[in-house]
Amino acid sequence: MKIKQEKNEKFDGLAEDYDRYRPRYPLALFQMLLAPFQDRKNLTVVDVGAGTGIALESMVDTLGEAHQYHAIDISSDMIEHGKKKFPHVNWHKGKAEDVVLELSSIDLAVAAQSFQWMDRPSLMAAIDSRLNTGGAFAVLQNNRHFEKSDFLDAYESLLEDMSSGYSRYYRKFDFLQEMKDCFGEKGNIALHSHDWLMTIPSDAFIGMSRSSTQAQRAISVHGQVFTEQLSELISEYEKDGKLEILYHSELFIFTKS
């Protein structure tokens, strides 16, 4: 598969594998995020950088469909896939900060696994201008816990060797400080984390890897060599055809007072 270089097509062509193989987010973090909203009516909920709606799965399941949901993404492929899952959601293609400013008000905005790709100061300023009192903006992400996994450490090294410009530290931003700089004393800012283990079939990990732009970039340059080295790596660490993937998930929440 040829990797498209245009920013607005970053994930085009990957939607099906992305939705099928990407890990979902820990229920414990979603319960923490959504608990203040469960008894509220007529919420306006925004999924920023929604992809195929993976975060929406937990939000709609927990809060119900009787709210106004908006999902924003820059990939037509992701949006078309998401519409099939959530036809009742308002899907928008465009820059998140621009679409947010088109909304009159927001009760809950979530950026799941997408915040690092965005113009974060502009997005937070837009959300701040539309966020209702008592509303929340959350950043949620699953991070491969390579510091505590020999397999994941080796996998990151493989990507760094074969995917041009990739670093395992690509999400190493101080989101907490960035949120403090943007929102200041306008409310409470908190960070919650959760470590968890996912056991998956080895072929599912290959599918998950192929759904990433990093692996696709390696495939576009090295082709079968990358695939063979990935298979060799998996063979070294799998047990009974399965792999254990350790995640360190983080939830950053700003609640407006």
Side-chain angles (χ1 to χ4, degrees):
M1 183 184 297
K2 183 178 179 181
I3 297 300
K4 300 176 181 179
Q5 298 300 319
E6 294 86 348
K7 183 178 179 182
N8 67 332
E9 295 180 334
K10 184 175 182 63
F11 291 100
D12 277 358
L14 304 179
E16 185 173 348
D17 281 350
Y18 186 96
D19 192 68
R20 180 179 180 183
Y21 294 115
R22 286 297 173 105
R24 274 45 185 173
Y25 301 98
L27 181 59
L29 293 184
F30 261 115
Q31 288 176 333
M32 190 175 300
L33 170 63
L34 299 178
F37 298 94
Q38 284 190 259
D39 295 326
R40 294 171 59 178
K41 308 295 184 184
N42 302 316
L43 295 168
T44 297
V45 180
V46 183
D47 188 347
V48 180
T52 61
I54 289 176
L56 279 171
E57 293 172 6
S58 294
M59 289 193 283
V60 172
D61 184 61
T62 301
L63 299 176
E65 294 186 8
H67 301 287
Q68 186 177 56
Y69 290 94
H70 296 271
I72 308 169
D73 206 88
I74 56 174
S75 167
S76 299
D77 192 30
M78 292 285 180
I79 290 173
E80 288 307 308
H81 197 96
K83 285 180 176 179
K84 296 174 184 177
K85 293 168 58 179
F86 298 106
H88 67 283
V89 170
N90 300 293
W91 290 85
H92 308 265
K93 181 180 179 181
K95 292 182 179 180
E97 59 269 26
D98 294 339
V99 177
V100 165
L101 290 174
E102 296 174 0
L103 304 176
S104 59
S105 66
I106 296 172
D107 295 296
L108 173 63
V110 177
Q113 215 74 10
S114 61
F115 196 47
Q116 72 271 10
W117 304 117
M118 299 180 177
D119 179 347
R120 296 188 295 277
S122 295
L123 173 60
M124 287 189 289
I127 288 174
D128 186 30
S129 72
R130 297 295 185 265
L131 194 63
N132 292 326
T133 299
F137 168 59
V139 175
L140 181 62
Q141 57 187 21
N142 290 328
N143 304 302
R144 291 188 293 267
H145 209 344
F146 55 81
E147 296 93 342
K148 294 189 176 181
S149 167
D150 291 340
F151 167 68
L152 292 178
D153 179 60
Y155 176 65
E156 295 292 342
S157 295
L158 177 63
L159 287 178
E160 288 172 334
D161 287 342
M162 292 197 164
S163 183
S164 177
Y166 174 75
S167 167
R168 68 185 67 192
Y169 302 107
Y170 74 102
R171 205 158 35 225
K172 199 70 172 180
F173 299 101
D174 192 345
F175 290 159
L176 196 64
Q177 186 60 53
E178 289 185 25
M179 293 173 79
K180 290 177 180 177
D181 291 341
C182 176
F183 299 117
E185 302 298 323
K186 296 178 181 179
N188 181 63
I189 300 172
L191 167 61
H192 308 277
S193 61
H194 183 76
D195 290 346
W196 56 289
L197 183 68
M198 179 175 71
T199 301
I200 60 172
S202 299
D203 59 352
F205 182 83
I206 293 174
M208 182 168 63
S209 176
R210 290 179 64 90
S211 75
S212 71
T213 55
Q214 296 94 344
Q216 285 298 320
R217 192 175 293 115
I219 292 169
S220 71
V221 175
H222 301 282
Q224 192 67 18
V225 174
F226 173 79
T227 304
E228 290 173 354
Q229 291 198 23
L230 177 59
S231 295
E232 291 174 5
L233 179 62
I234 289 172
S235 297
E236 181 180 352
Y237 286 96
E238 69 180 352
K239 296 179 181 179
D240 299 321
K242 295 182 179 180
L243 289 166
E244 292 185 340
I245 312 300
L246 184 62
Y247 283 99
H248 176 73
S249 296
E250 296 176 309
L251 173 64
F252 304 81
I253 308 176
F254 164 66
T255 305
K256 194 168 188 176
S257 57

